[in-house]
Amino acid sequence: MQRLASSLLRNHGMPSFQHEAIVDLFRNRTSLAADVINEDLHVSMPEHDSSRTDSESLSDLAPPAYAADLVILLERLEVVVQAIIVEVQR
């Protein structure tokens, strides 16, 4: 896991295909975001029993609009306990 996180953080000049491939890793295995944060960054995530993606739109009623690469929600007993924003940097 740490090797994956280090590789993702180290590769700043990735082309669009690699960017989308990384986003797809998290989209296809939503638990990966909490695992990387917990295991590699040593930040405790709240207890949860499921995770799912959500809208990437982070805008409110007033401009400017913001969009993330991916938003993952951690849930415990069908209640959202944490949101994780995945933003791949080049």
Side-chain angles (χ1 to χ4, degrees), residues 29-63:
R29 184 175 159 222
T30 56
S31 62
L32 180 61
D35 291 345
V36 168
I37 291 170
N38 195 27
E39 295 174 24
D40 295 328
L41 301 178
H42 307 290
V43 175
S44 296
M45 292 282 95
E47 202 171 309
H48 60 281
D49 48 29
S50 66
S51 58
R52 63 178 172 90
T53 61
D54 197 37
S55 170
E56 290 87 11
S57 175
L58 304 175
S59 60
D60 53 14
L61 296 178

Side-chain angles (χ1 to χ4, degrees), residues 65-78:
Y66 298 101
D69 289 331
L70 187 65
V71 174
I72 297 173
L73 302 178
L74 304 182
E75 298 177 323
R76 175 85 173 152
L77 302 174
E78 299 183 13

